[in-house]
Amino acid sequence: MSQWSSKQVNGPAVCGLLARQLETHCPEGFVPARLTVDMMRPVLNEPITVHSNVVREGSRVIVADATIVQQGELRARASAVFLVSAASPPGEVWQPQSPLPVPQARLTSPDGDPPLLRSGESEWTHDLAAGRNSDRKVMWQNLIPLIEGEAISPFQRAAAMGDATNFVCHWGSAGIGFINTDLTLTLSRLPEGPELGLQAQDQSTSGGVAVGTATLYDRGGRLGTCVVTAVADARRPVSVARSASGAQAE
């Protein structure tokens, strides 16, 4: 459920559901390279149906769209680009060398694990209240299954985790005062294993509009980037109180 309302489904679930539907259009030999989600209205805690169609199907590029409609209204939409997998061209290309923090303990439960947080140079902790500061944040998580009785796929896992960019980039000393309205996830490869990390990389704010950028990675290294735009909601900031089994809002 959303931390803003118990009547709504949270962003990670919405992004994961749209990715689940879109990946049905990804044939063998192709990989998801980009997912863009627009969350125009709250997705309600009611029966959810996801529709999709292929927009373009080529030998190297496939584009598909998906939508969630409830009560006769378009609630969310997404677009995915799938690219054919091939050998990389010769030559060397610049890549960032800064290390990405990884906790020593592994999160491997098939039912998911509570998220770990690292704020600034502090140690990893399950206590999300430790994020009430202006330090740079990193989240590490083994997500719960998206659909009951169905294993979460690597693409679904990446999409759901990507929505947490709003938390790592816009979580400050007074809580989370921004609601992200979209997500753009880019991937050079799919995640391996159940664990994913998300490290804040950039943030800018002006006139109640914020943009956050984070790096998505696993124990093998970088996967891609996540970018969200968000609108201020100063009247109802989320103040994370604890997280014995997940984030709780005050």
Side-chain angles (χ1 to χ4, degrees), residues 18-216:
L18 289 164
R20 177 179 180 267
Q21 180 66 25
L22 286 165
E23 69 181 348
T24 64
H25 302 296
C26 182
E28 185 176 355
F30 281 72
V31 294
R34 194 265 297 156
L35 170 71
T36 298
V37 179
D38 295 315
M39 292 173 276
M40 296 167 286
R41 293 184 177 92
V43 175
L44 304 176
N45 182 21
E46 298 178 0
I48 297 174
T49 301
V50 188
H51 304 276
S52 64
N53 65 285
V54 175
V55 177
R56 197 261 186 185
E57 187 170 6
S59 60
R60 294 193 295 178
V61 180
I62 296 174
V63 180
D65 290 346
T67 58
I68 292 177
V69 177
Q70 288 179 314
Q71 299 183 356
E73 294 181 324
L74 180 62
R75 298 279 169 171
R77 66 182 180 184
S79 174
V81 175
F82 305 103
L83 301 180
V84 68
S85 181
S88 298
E92 296 182 358
V93 178
W94 175 88
Q95 290 184 327
Q97 299 300 318
S98 57
L100 294 166
V102 175
Q104 184 175 2
R106 292 180 177 268
L107 307 180
T108 59
S109 170
D111 297 321
D113 294 284
L116 284 168
L117 170 72
R118 183 178 179 184
S119 187
E121 298 301 319
S122 65
E123 297 296 325
W124 292 99
T125 179
H126 288 296
D127 180 14
L128 299 190
R132 291 176 178 170
N133 53 57
S134 59
D135 293 340
R136 183 185 192 181
K137 295 174 179 63
V138 188
M139 290 195 72
W140 186 262
Q141 194 161 4
N142 170 22
L143 293 163
I144 64 174
L146 182 67
I147 303 296
E148 185 176 3
E150 178 180 307
I152 188 170
S153 74
F155 185 40
Q156 296 167 28
R157 191 183 298 277
M161 185 68 174
D163 186 74
T165 300
N166 189 50
F167 284 76
V168 298
C169 290
H170 300 143
W171 190 349
S173 59
I176 305 166
F178 290 91
I179 301 175
N180 62 298
T181 59
D182 63 15
L183 162 71
T184 296
L185 166 71
T186 63
L187 293 170
S188 60
R189 64 175 176 87
L190 287 171
E192 299 174 358
E195 300 170 292
L196 277 177
L198 194 66
Q199 183 183 53
Q201 292 295 338
D202 191 39
Q203 197 276 344
S204 61
T205 306
S206 179
V209 176
V211 178
T213 304
T215 296
L216 184 69

